[in-house]
Amino acid sequence: MPKILPITLLSVGCAALFPATVSALSMSPPPRANPQPSKFVFKDVSGKATSVDVVQSYQPTKIVRPFATGAKSDRQLDPKLMRAATIAEERAHAHSRRQCWHAVKEALLASGVISSRPKTEYAKQAGQELVDNYGFRKLPVNDPYQAPVGSVLVYNANRTAGHVEIRTKDGFVSDFRSKTPSHRPLLGVFVKS
């Protein structure tokens, strides 16, 4: 007699004695009352109520923040910052080599934005050194996408060196190019007038 037979007999016996319990153990999810996608309502920066569809299933394409008009340049900023962004972009690799602060230092030096090499070792310390020693100022910007072209974005990290990158017309650059900003917490956006 096969070993499966006692288990089969036990389950058939339970189904005969407790038919209501067995029918309640349906493995399919209950039908949805409202098949239309629901909306998530929130207030945007201006205080206007806005809503978006809630994603109910897997989307085959990656959702990214679109660049409708690209980054804006600010005429009040030092034009050498835009040159630094171009230099960094020309020297950038396809993938990170974990040398973001080194690459940004080199681009700032090569463009003439700064006259000497910054001495801080960690990327998360870059903002404070740029303000203290090189005439940069911190902008009241919390969204990396709103940073002007050429601005230096500094990110924090708990147990690592952090990250620093320069805003370009089409994205962000440090030792590599990216269409999206770092996922780390933004410490600040720094520019020089």
Side-chain angles (χ1 to χ4, degrees):
M1 194 184 265
K3 293 182 180 181
I4 293 182
L5 188 58
I7 295 172
T8 308
L9 290 175
L10 181 63
S11 33
V12 171
C14 287
L17 293 174
F18 307 106
T21 307
V22 172
S23 66
L25 296 175
S26 172
M27 294 299 178
S28 62
R32 292 183 61 200
N34 184 6
Q36 278 79 25
S38 58
K39 297 274 189 181
F40 177 75
V41 181
F42 63 96
K43 289 186 179 179
D44 62 9
V45 178
S46 64
K48 179 181 167 190
T50 309
S51 67
V52 293
D53 291 336
V54 175
V55 177
Q56 300 289 337
S57 61
Y58 169 74
Q59 302 294 319
T61 57
K62 184 177 178 183
I63 300 172
V64 294
R65 187 167 181 162
F67 288 99
T69 59
K72 296 179 181 171
S73 56
D74 189 346
R75 296 192 187 279
Q76 295 177 349
L77 301 182
D78 188 342
K80 293 177 184 174
L81 285 172
M82 297 197 19
R83 178 72 183 130
T86 304
I87 290 170
E89 208 165 23
E90 290 170 354
R91 297 176 179 179
H93 302 284
H95 301 284
S96 175
R97 302 220 172 145
R98 298 189 178 271
Q99 296 290 317
C100 61
W101 184 211
H102 176 76
V104 170
K105 284 179 193 180
E106 292 298 322
L108 293 173
L109 268 171
S111 67
V113 175
I114 58 177
S115 57
S116 63
R117 186 174 180 78
K119 295 184 179 18
T120 54
E121 185 176 340
Y122 297 120
K124 60 186 172 185
Q125 300 168 333
Q128 193 60 47
E129 183 175 14
L130 290 173
V131 169
D132 292 345
N133 301 335
Y134 298 101
F136 278 70
R137 62 184 168 89
K138 184 177 179 181
L139 294 179
V141 175
N142 296 325
D143 182 5
Y145 289 100
Q146 298 301 317
V149 174
S151 59
V152 178
L153 290 83
V154 180
Y155 299 90
N156 194 12
N158 290 334
R159 287 171 271 174
T160 61
H163 182 65
V164 63
E165 59 194 8
I166 299 176
R167 180 71 161 112
T168 64
K169 183 180 176 189
D170 299 320
F172 305 86
V173 66
S174 56
D175 60 330
F176 67 100
R177 288 181 271 328
S178 176
K179 291 280 187 193
T180 58
S182 175
H183 63 278
R184 297 168 183 88
L186 182 66
L187 287 176
V189 176
F190 300 90
V191 295
K192 187 173 184 180
S193 299

